[in-house]
Amino acid sequence: MKKITPFLLAAIIALVGCDNTAEAVKKDAVDNGQKVADATNTAADTMKANSDNAAAALTLTPAIKAAIIEDQSLSESGNLVDVDSTSTTITLSGHVKSEKTKWRAEELARRVMADKHATQSLQDDLIIQP
């Protein structure tokens, strides 16, 4: 019977170790590939949301602000109505003199949203300050 020399034993251990290392590298590559794909999808979703928000801000915000400025009851001093738009929500904020004025700002915003076929919801955060 042949005797296993230390050199042969080291070579066998190295070969077995290489196989395990190759499998680990392969698994790491697959895992890292999935992580890159997930990060890419997240970045794409974020970019789309930002693009949608920018489009809403470019079209709806100025149209609603113009309607509010053109309305005499809302353009009186003491009323300050701000409009912010995202891909999901149009928000009215600031302050107005009365409940009637608050209702009018919301009515104008809804009218513009309907004219533009907007799909966002309207959030009225206006505060009444007589």
Side-chain angles (χ1 to χ4, degrees):
M1 180 176 211
K2 289 188 174 181
K3 190 174 182 182
I4 298 180
T5 65
F7 177 75
L8 184 57
L9 183 60
I12 292 170
I13 291 171
L15 288 174
V16 171
C18 287
D19 184 47
N20 288 341
T21 302
E23 286 301 315
V25 168
K26 183 178 175 182
K27 182 183 180 312
D28 286 347
V30 169
D31 291 347
N32 288 335
Q34 186 59 51
K35 288 176 184 175
V36 168
D38 292 345
T40 301
N41 289 336
T42 299
D45 291 345
T46 300
M47 287 176 61
K48 183 183 181 323
N50 288 342
S51 174
D52 291 346
N53 290 346
L58 288 173
T59 58
L60 289 170
T61 299
I64 294 171
K65 283 185 178 184
I68 288 171
I69 290 169
E70 290 172 9
D71 187 276
Q72 289 184 357
S73 66
L74 288 168
S75 61
E76 292 177 0
S77 77
N79 292 326
L80 175 63
V81 180
D82 192 24
V83 181
D84 291 307
S85 305
T86 69
S87 61
T88 59
T89 308
I90 307 295
T91 304
L92 301 178
S93 59
H95 53 84
V96 293
K97 290 181 179 181
S98 67
E99 185 69 37
K100 182 179 176 182
T101 310
K102 181 176 178 174
W103 178 85
R104 180 69 178 145
E106 188 173 324
E107 177 186 38
L108 288 172
R110 287 194 192 283
R111 186 176 302 156
V112 170
M113 290 169 68
D115 290 346
K116 301 262 184 207
H117 306 288
T119 59
Q120 292 90 337
S121 62
L122 180 63
Q123 180 175 331
D124 186 349
D125 291 341
L126 289 169
I127 298 169
I128 299 170
Q129 290 182 343

